[in-house]
Amino acid sequence: MSTRLDLIQDVKNWDKPKKHICCVVDTECTFMSEESRLVYEIAWVISDLNDVENKNYFYKHFYIQETVSNPKAFLQFTKKYTDNGIPKINFGIDSRYGSVLNNCFNNFDKVESWENVIKQFNSDCLNLGVDTITAYNFMFDFGINGKAGVIRKTHSQLTDKTFYFPQGVKHFCLMEWVCRTLINKRYFVWIDSLSDSQKTKMQTAKGNNSYSAESVLKYLNQDVDYIEQHTALRDCFLEMNLAKICYNRYAPTLKYFVGTPKKSLVKTVSWKKIADEISSKDKLQEKIDWLSNIMGEENNLVEQLRLELKG
């Protein structure tokens, strides 16, 4: 059994693996319609997190045939009520639908059935030796522990089958990792240094500190005017860059976020932790407490993380 001194030595001697092949996934989906949360665009980018300078990524990008060819999926509605309580439904076309159709006509080779897309996704992950799959908001895109993200919902609805991760490939939530490491005191100090007009560009509609991928990249680039395009492939490239930066600075902590389908280690960070400007050390402490609950206080992983925090 490992002693405390052994664990301390392990932490000191820990080196980043020579390679960590990661697949970043991003989706765009329908909303506010009778067929909400169906993926209509998906992309994935695969690269070695350890090679921060390499921007020559392997990638795939598709529009989902079943969704884009279904106008009802883009027919949005809002339910309002008259004075006597009778529901009044207002319909409108999703403002994105025109550009989506235009992109499909101009890139018809990228329009594929969902079943073929998932086959290619699984094949790429296995054939390219992917170690981990991630998404900036993993719970939204994939979902875990019975919570269906948009990929799971789309897979179930279009194939009548259950979505499974590629065999042997682990996963983590990029947003959680970023929130517990990159979003630290320096992040909040930089926001506080901005003028009032600039500060609003780093806040949510309710005036809280934002922790979107776009906001974090604004901080890293020191550019409050940076705007994501919110298209699947473009966002994938940017989020892979963010993952590489995080890995370059905080690689030893990644093992506390990587789990398997049977034992996921995703624990989302509350927006209130960001709004209250909680330090990264305290957010990692929260992660330790959560890990100790599911793994046991004496688990080597938990003890090693406690040692790293004290160091």
Side-chain angles (χ1 to χ4, degrees), residues 110-255:
K110 296 185 181 299
V111 180
E112 277 280 3
S113 70
W114 178 258
E115 188 173 4
N116 285 340
V117 167
I118 292 302
K119 283 181 180 178
Q120 290 193 48
F121 174 71
N122 288 335
S123 177
D124 288 346
C125 287
L126 295 175
N127 292 333
L128 296 177
V130 168
D131 297 302
T132 55
I133 293 169
T134 191
Y136 193 74
N137 188 341
F138 196 87
M139 293 299 288
F140 176 83
D141 287 304
F142 287 98
I144 54 165
N145 300 330
K147 295 182 179 179
V150 296
I151 289 175
R152 290 182 188 275
K153 179 180 179 180
T154 303
H155 193 78
S156 174
Q157 188 157 329
L158 297 183
T159 70
D160 295 320
K161 297 177 182 177
T162 301
F163 173 83
Y164 293 102
F165 287 104
Q167 188 173 7
V169 181
K170 297 181 179 180
H171 66 264
F172 67 96
C173 178
L174 179 57
M175 182 170 67
E176 185 198 3
W177 193 28
V178 167
C179 283
R180 295 189 192 275
T181 54
L182 271 176
I183 296 183
N184 50 32
K185 287 183 178 178
R186 290 187 293 274
Y187 181 82
F188 300 125
V189 167
W190 182 73
I191 292 177
D192 290 340
S193 72
L194 300 173
S195 66
D196 289 342
S197 61
Q198 289 178 322
K199 198 174 294 184
T200 59
K201 299 176 182 179
M202 291 293 294
Q203 294 174 333
T204 65
K206 294 184 178 180
N208 297 315
N209 292 326
S210 173
Y211 52 97
S212 66
E214 179 178 288
S215 294
V216 178
L217 286 165
K218 285 180 180 180
Y219 160 67
L220 292 171
N221 295 324
Q222 303 286 285
D223 179 10
V224 295
D225 294 317
Y226 167 79
I227 298 176
E228 271 190 317
Q229 291 184 5
H230 296 295
T231 57
L233 183 59
R234 176 67 174 167
D235 288 357
C236 265
F237 285 142
L238 297 172
E239 287 157 16
M240 174 60 80
N241 183 42
L242 184 55
K244 287 193 173 193
I245 292 171
C246 204
Y247 191 80
N248 186 52
R249 298 183 185 182
Y250 303 103
T253 66
L254 180 57
K255 55 183 171 290

Side-chain angles (χ1 to χ4, degrees), residues 24-28 40-46 55 57-63 103 107 110 226 228-241:
V24 174
V25 180
D26 192 77
T27 63
E28 299 295 330
Y40 69 79
E41 183 185 10
I42 187 170
W44 59 89
V45 170
I46 298 175
K55 299 294 189 293
Y57 305 146
F58 174 92
Y59 66 89
K60 293 279 182 73
H61 174 219
F62 296 105
Y63 292 96
N103 289 336
N107 303 277
K110 296 185 181 299
Y226 167 79
E228 271 190 317
Q229 291 184 5
H230 296 295
T231 57
L233 183 59
R234 176 67 174 167
D235 288 357
C236 265
F237 285 142
L238 297 172
E239 287 157 16
M240 174 60 80
N241 183 42

